[in-house]
């Protein structure tokens, strides 16, 4: 089945500056309106969880220098990039491309037989290193949580990764801040299999949706392991490390080149027709 790229004539409207608090209760993402957001909260799109201690304040995650090096250097990713350029470019092509997750029709995905959603964090759900869901995306995340009955999780190349977070402390902090479970795993995307995901969700990898903004990590990982892949555009390039910005330019160059040559995403067993594929994208105004 061909991949599609949805490119609206006008970008979706950004949310207003009200501030919400998210909490994870009974497999639901609960949003409670509080006081108006400060200018910093509006700028960073920061949310916090009601289960956090009073001393907690929303902030961007500050990593030590060695943590940044560990997170940004991806040897397996470099090797897989050579493999893709050498003859398997279809692995970097998402099944669906959208401006952001508000354009995803979660009910259509659920009706097609998908049982859970796996999210990247930075620039998919949050701004880089922010410990909170980007405010304009909150309603869509609520809808996703309800549609999949809480079967959503974050697969990060930092929190929950054994190399980076061996004690799971970063994963726990992220779970509290986002109200979403974080998968514990041992290999960085795009390398590794989907065993940790299948164990976490208790289903086959092909019954899961991978949502992430990076072609050569999130999309490649999902396609290699049989997931259905959705690629939202990054929320912002501000605050990203220079290594990530360079990697983005490289992957954007190649994906545009492959698109011109008609390279398509791998076929997925749950997608039966072009009409079904297109049904997975809807305008936010319809919600």
């Amino acid at each position: 089945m061909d991949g599609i790229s949805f490119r609206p004539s006008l970008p979706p409207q950004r949310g207003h500056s009200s501030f919400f608090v998210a909490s994870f209760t009974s497999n639901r993402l609960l949003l409670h309106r509080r006081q108006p957001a400060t200018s910093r909260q509006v700028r960073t799109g920061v949310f916090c969880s009601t289960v956090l201690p009073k001393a907690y304040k929303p902030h961007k995650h500050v990593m030590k220098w060695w943590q940044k090096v560990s997170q940004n250097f991806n040897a397996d990713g470099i090797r897989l990039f050579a493999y893709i350029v050498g003859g398997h470019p279809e692995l970097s092509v998402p099944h669906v491309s959208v401006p952001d997750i508000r354009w995803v029709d979660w009910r259509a995905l659920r009706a097609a037989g998908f049982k859970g959603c796996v999210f990247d964090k930075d620039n998919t759900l949050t701004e880089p290193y922010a410990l909170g869901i980007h405010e304009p995306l909150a309603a869509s995340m609520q809808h996703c949580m309800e549609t999949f009955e809480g079967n959503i999780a974050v697969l990060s190349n930092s929190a929950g990764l054994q190399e980076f977070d061996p004690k799971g402390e970063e994963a726990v902090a992220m779970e509290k801040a986002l109200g979403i479970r974080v998968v514990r795993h041992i290999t960085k995307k795009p390398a590794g299999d989907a065993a940790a995901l299948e164990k976490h969700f208790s289903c086959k990898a092909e019954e899961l949706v991978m949502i992430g903004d990076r072609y050569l990590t999130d999309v490649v990982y999902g396609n290699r392991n049989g997931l259905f892949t959705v690629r939202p555009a990054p929320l912002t390039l501000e605050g990203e490390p220079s290594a990530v910005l360079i990697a983005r330019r490289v992957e954007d160059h190649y994906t545009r080149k492959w698109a011109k040559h008609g390279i398509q995403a791998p076929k997925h067993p749950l997608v039966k027709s072009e009409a079904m594929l297109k049904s997975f994208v809807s305008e936010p105004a319809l919600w």
Side-chain angles (χ1 to χ4, degrees):
M1 184 58 57
D2 300 352
I4 64 171
S5 178
F6 192 85
R7 298 182 182 277
S9 57
L10 292 174
Q13 293 295 320
R14 295 298 178 185
H16 51 74
S17 61
S18 57
F19 180 52
F20 292 83
V21 176
S23 62
F24 186 69
T25 306
S26 301
N27 289 335
R28 296 188 63 195
L29 181 70
L30 305 180
L31 299 176
H32 311 281
R33 186 179 295 274
R34 278 196 173 180
Q35 71 278 4
T38 65
S39 59
R40 182 177 182 278
Q41 289 163 347
V42 173
R43 186 172 63 254
T44 61
V46 169
F47 298 80
C48 67
S49 169
T50 55
V51 300
L52 293 181
K54 292 182 180 179
Y56 176 84
K57 294 182 179 180
H59 62 283
K60 290 201 173 185
H61 181 201
V62 179
M63 295 191 295
K64 297 180 176 63
W65 68 268
W66 59 268
Q67 290 177 316
K68 288 185 177 181
V69 171
S70 175
Q71 182 181 11
N72 293 328
F73 180 73
N74 192 333
D76 288 333
I78 294 172
R79 285 192 288 269
L80 273 171
F81 174 68
Y83 172 77
I84 291 166
V85 173
H88 299 275
E90 71 282 355
L91 294 177
S92 69
V93 180
H95 294 98
V96 171
S97 294
V98 290
D100 61 49
I101 65 168
R102 290 175 291 176
W103 297 78
V104 179
D105 191 323
W106 305 115
R107 289 178 181 170
L109 286 168
R110 188 73 181 90
F114 293 102
K115 297 181 178 179
C117 294
V118 185
F119 289 89
D120 176 49
K121 173 187 172 289
D122 288 332
N123 256 331
T124 297
L125 296 180
T126 77
E127 293 188 7
Y129 305 113
L131 285 178
I133 295 172
H134 187 54
E135 181 182 350
L137 308 182
S140 180
M141 285 302 299
Q142 169 83 15
H143 184 42
C144 179
M145 179 73 78
E146 292 174 349
T147 301
F148 285 92
E149 300 177 344
N151 290 322
I152 69 174
V154 169
L155 184 66
S156 170
N157 271 358
S158 55
L161 179 67
Q162 186 174 15
E163 172 191 352
F164 179 87
D165 185 24
K167 296 182 180 179
E169 295 172 347
E170 298 289 339
V172 170
M174 187 179 293
E175 287 172 336
K176 289 181 177 179
L178 299 181
I180 303 172
R181 295 188 182 95
V182 175
V183 178
R184 275 59 167 179
H185 58 115
I186 61 174
T187 308
K188 285 183 178 181
K189 299 172 291 184
D193 57 28
L197 293 181
E198 292 181 334
K199 179 180 179 180
H200 181 92
F201 286 95
S202 299
C203 68
K204 296 180 180 179
E206 66 186 34
E207 297 173 308
L208 298 173
V209 181
M210 179 75 216
I211 305 105
D213 66 294
R214 293 291 305 279
Y215 290 108
L216 297 180
T217 53
D218 305 312
V219 175
V220 169
Y221 171 82
N223 285 338
R224 284 184 60 247
N225 289 290
L227 286 73
F228 183 81
T229 52
V230 176
R231 192 263 176 180
L235 296 174
T236 178
L237 299 183
E238 294 183 8
E240 284 201 321
S242 57
V244 174
L245 293 174
I246 292 171
R248 281 194 187 279
R249 286 196 289 269
V250 172
E251 64 187 38
D252 287 349
H253 166 75
Y254 278 98
T255 51
R256 285 196 299 269
K257 174 183 176 181
W258 293 327
K260 290 179 180 179
H261 286 81
I263 303 299
Q264 301 166 354
K267 292 183 179 180
H268 194 282
L270 293 184
V271 182
K272 306 301 183 182
S273 67
E274 184 75 13
M276 175 184 284
L277 186 65
K278 291 180 178 180
S279 74
F280 298 149
V281 179
S282 66
E283 296 186 30
L286 299 178
W287 295 339

